Amino acid sequence: MTMQQRVLADGTAVSALCLGAMFFGTRTDEATSFAILDRFVEAGGTLIDTADNYAFWIEGGAGGESEAVLGRWLASRNARDRVKLSSKVGAMPMIPGTSWQESGEGLSPTAIRSALDGSLRRLGTDRLEVYWAHVEDRTVPLEDTVDAFASLTEEGKVGVLGASNHAIWQVERARAMAGRQGRAGYTCLQLSHSYLRPRFDVRPGNHMHGNVTAEVLDYVRTEPDVSLWAYGSLLSGAYTRADKPLAPSYDHPGTPRRLAMLREVADELGATPNQVVLAWLLDGEPPVVPVVGASSVEQLDELLGATELKLDDELRRRLDEAG
């Protein structure tokens, strides 16, 4: 099977849908994780996203479990050449029992290099296609972080660089700094983004700068080397599951109207609301790389169905103008 592709700033082709591996090795046991990975690759998926701190907040987790499971799967399937790996640094607590806000490793040059060494060891590889600054760290001079990340690309340990949960002005400042030096800078952005629109006067969870805004979309449209990746696209199941309530930031008059239109379009297409949301992201302007998680092969199959779903101009107009 061939899946729609995206091309990263260095020319690397990746699947338009990214498999998020956050809970592999914690909530999702190893056998199930392997089955999901096998199905994803069978369906033409090539892009897998993880982080060094996944998933320290789950009971029994300490961080690194996701990368370790991925490493064992890669080795057992001899699959390294068939996938592109994306991981992150900056939000791993250094003191057990604390949060990343309290003792996160941060983005100093020493922390970045140490974290990458650990990620490569757990994954059983010598290179990542994408490496991310997971969260902002304003305690470190930006030039130090920019230099550390650029050095990793120059050494061949990393392909392209990304910023997750960063204010767009911080991203632009870092990109400009790297550009003036003729060095690699951030070309990927990863933020929370979905069909429903949150209120921005309500803090978006743990990340002060975690949501896609109109300014972010405008920025990506005008920067041809930048790709936008979206986590939380399916709102932790809230589109389809009554036991998964929407976050307080979605409590506003526009939400019921957009939900009604989403369900109307899904019914017309014989699709699920989740599939319509992903199709809306995949073929939008700018196009988005959704990072989606699944806890079973059955869940993954539903999400894979979105890659074959096309929204014509009229359906997209109705979705865009609702709410």
Side-chain angles (χ1 to χ4, degrees), residues 12-255:
T12 299
V14 298
S15 57
L17 197 67
C18 177
L19 180 63
M22 179 183 289
F23 296 121
F24 289 0
T26 49
R27 284 182 182 168
T28 306
D29 64 45
E30 185 157 318
T32 304
S33 300
F34 276 32
I36 292 168
L37 288 159
D38 289 341
R39 175 64 183 128
F40 183 67
V41 172
E42 177 190 3
T46 61
L47 184 57
I48 304 170
D49 183 70
T50 184
D52 66 339
N53 72 335
Y54 292 165
F56 75 87
W57 60 94
I58 303 300
E59 184 176 356
E65 291 85 3
S66 172
E67 290 178 330
V69 165
L70 280 173
R72 290 191 288 272
W73 175 80
L74 289 166
S76 70
R77 304 302 195 258
N78 194 26
R80 182 64 184 93
D81 292 340
R82 288 183 283 160
V83 299
K84 311 302 180 186
L85 297 176
S86 160
S87 195
K88 312 179 192 74
V89 54
M92 177 67 183
M94 294 292 95
I95 302 174
T98 64
S99 67
W100 64 264
Q101 296 101 322
E102 295 170 312
S103 70
E105 64 201 333
L107 297 176
S108 69
T110 300
I112 291 169
R113 285 192 170 273
S114 176
L116 179 62
D117 288 345
S119 291
L120 295 177
R121 182 181 65 254
R122 287 185 290 272
L123 289 163
T125 188
D126 60 0
R127 185 176 187 272
L128 295 177
E129 279 72 28
V130 191
Y131 200 41
W132 301 83
H134 202 164
V135 292
E136 289 187 350
D137 181 4
R138 299 187 186 180
T139 70
V140 174
L142 188 58
E143 56 266 31
D144 291 355
T145 298
V146 168
D147 176 70
F149 275 116
S151 294
L152 298 179
T153 68
E154 291 156 4
E155 295 165 16
K157 294 182 177 180
V158 171
V160 299
L161 304 170
S164 175
N165 303 305
H166 279 55
I168 198 65
W169 67 265
Q170 280 277 81
V171 173
E172 172 57 20
R173 183 172 290 179
R175 280 168 51 82
M177 191 177 293
R180 286 193 295 271
Q181 300 172 16
R183 308 179 78 194
Y186 299 135
T187 56
C188 300
L189 299 178
Q190 189 171 159
L191 298 160
S192 176
H193 187 40
S194 188
Y195 174 63
L196 289 186
R197 296 167 172 163
R199 290 170 47 188
F200 293 112
D201 59 333
V202 177
R203 182 171 176 171
N206 292 324
H207 305 299
M208 182 65 74
H209 304 290
N211 278 319
V212 167
T213 63
E215 183 179 21
V216 169
L217 294 174
D218 183 57
Y219 184 81
V220 175
R221 290 187 192 105
T222 56
E223 296 291 325
D225 64 329
V226 174
S227 62
L228 178 60
W229 302 33
Y231 68 81
S233 300
L234 301 179
L235 305 182
S236 301
Y239 283 115
T240 56
R241 292 179 53 177
D243 63 325
K244 298 286 187 176
L246 289 168
S249 58
Y250 295 99
D251 184 13
H252 61 82
T255 292

